Amino acid sequence: AQSVTQLGSHVSVSEGALVLLRCNYSSSVPPYLFWYVQYPNQGLQLLLKYTSAATLVKGINGFEAEFKKSETSFHLTKPSAHMSDAAEYFCAVSLGGGNKLVFGAGTILRVKS
Amino acid sequence: NAGVTQTPKFRVLKTGQSMTLLCAQDMNHEYMYWYRQDPGMGLRLIHYSVGEGTTAKGEVPDGYNVSRLKKQNFLLGLESAAPSQTSVYFCASSRSGDTGELFFGEGSRLTVL
C-alpha cells in the first residue's frame, strides 16, 4: 500500500528565510508525487508534480521539490519565504499516475514578519 | 470562470437527518471526486466517478452515497448523518485519470450535532 508521511504538522519561518517542508513516501511501484497548497477557506491547488522525468521539479510561486529515490523523499523548498506563502501544504502520492491520490496529513506553514 | 462549485458551503444537521451536497464543474472533466478533510488526517477519498453514470468507492465510503447522472454534476448524500461525519467536504475534478492534477472546490463545512 502506498502512503505519505509529512514531518511536522506546523512549520514557522521568518520572511526571507528558507522554506523546507518534508515528505516521505512508501510505494511498491514507482510513484507519482505531488504537492498541493491550501490557502485559508479555499480548496487545494496543485503546486508541482513529479512524474518520473526530471528529479528536480519546479512549481508555481518559486517552490521546487526534489525526488530522492534512495531516501524515499520528496521535500518541498523555497529559497525565500514570503508572507503570502502562509498556507497548509499537502504531499500526495499516486500509483503509476492514476488520480486516486493518497494525501499526507498536511503541514501548516507560518511566515513571521 | 467558476471551475468547481460546491453547495451548500455550510450546513448544520442533527443526528439521523439526511442531506445532499452538490458539486458542479464547468470544465467538461471526466473524473470527479469527493474527499473529506479532518484535522491531522489530510484528505481521504470517499467516492469517485470516472465518467457520467459511473461511481466507485474510495477509502472511506461507509455512510455515504453518490450519483453522477450528468457529467458536470456529482452528488454526495448522507442518508442518516452521524457526528463522525462532521467534517469539511471537498469536491474535485480532473480532465483524465493520469495527470494527478485535481481541481478543487472551496469546500462544504458540515456539522452533525
Side-chain angles (χ1 to χ4, degrees):
Chain A
Q2 53 187 341
S3 66
V4 171
T5 301
Q6 292 184 238
L7 300 176
S9 59
H10 292 77
V11 170
S12 183
V13 301
S14 297
E15 192 172 20
L18 171 72
V19 175
L20 172 61
L21 304 182
R22 301 177 186 273
C23 173
N24 289 88
Y25 70 90
S26 66
S27 174
S28 57
V29 299
Y32 283 26
L33 294 159
F34 310 86
W35 276 99
Y36 277 80
V37 60
Q38 183 181 28
Y39 298 103
N41 299 315
Q42 295 186 24
L44 283 70
Q45 55 183 283
L46 182 66
L47 260 183
L48 50 81
K49 64 180 179 181
Y50 165 76
T51 57
S52 75
T55 57
L56 181 63
V57 181
K58 294 186 184 299
I60 61 173
N61 300 336
F63 284 93
E64 62 182 36
E66 185 173 9
F67 173 69
K68 292 187 176 180
K69 184 177 180 180
S70 61
E71 299 177 7
T72 62
S73 68
F74 190 57
H75 301 332
L76 182 70
T77 61
K78 182 175 180 177
S80 177
H82 191 273
M83 297 296 288
S84 61
D85 295 327
E88 188 163 15
Y89 293 79
F90 293 91
C91 184
V93 63
S94 74
L95 280 180
N99 277 359
K100 287 174 63 179
L101 302 183
V102 175
F103 286 86
T107 298
I108 295 173
L109 175 67
R110 178 184 171 221
V111 182
K112 300 175 292 185
S113 59
Chain B
N1 195 25
V4 178
T5 303
Q6 295 180 226
T7 53
K9 289 188 170 37
F10 301 93
R11 184 74 187 269
V12 178
L13 289 178
K14 294 181 179 178
T15 297
Q17 287 185 317
S18 63
M19 75 157 296
T20 300
L21 296 176
L22 170 64
C23 176
Q25 53 96 2
D26 62 2
M27 297 174 283
N28 201 35
H29 285 171
E30 289 294 332
Y31 291 65
M32 297 187 75
Y33 315 80
W34 275 107
Y35 285 88
R36 61 177 289 173
Q37 183 181 27
D38 302 291
M41 302 188 72
L43 278 77
R44 292 179 291 168
L45 183 63
I46 304 171
H47 286 281
Y48 65 101
S49 167
V50 301
E52 180 179 317
T54 75
T55 63
K57 294 180 180 180
E59 182 184 355
V60 289
D62 294 342
Y64 305 95
N65 56 76
V66 289
S67 64
R68 182 103 182 265
L69 299 179
K70 294 182 178 181
K71 185 178 183 178
Q72 64 268 33
N73 295 338
F74 195 30
L75 278 64
L76 178 70
L78 287 70
E79 290 187 350
S80 179
S84 61
Q85 294 177 303
T86 293
S87 187
V88 181
Y89 292 86
F90 285 97
C91 178
S93 69
S94 64
R95 185 176 63 248
S96 67
D98 62 357
T99 67
E101 182 167 9
L102 275 59
F103 293 82
F104 283 83
E106 295 186 345
S108 297
R109 184 176 294 276
L110 174 65
T111 301
V112 183
L113 303 175

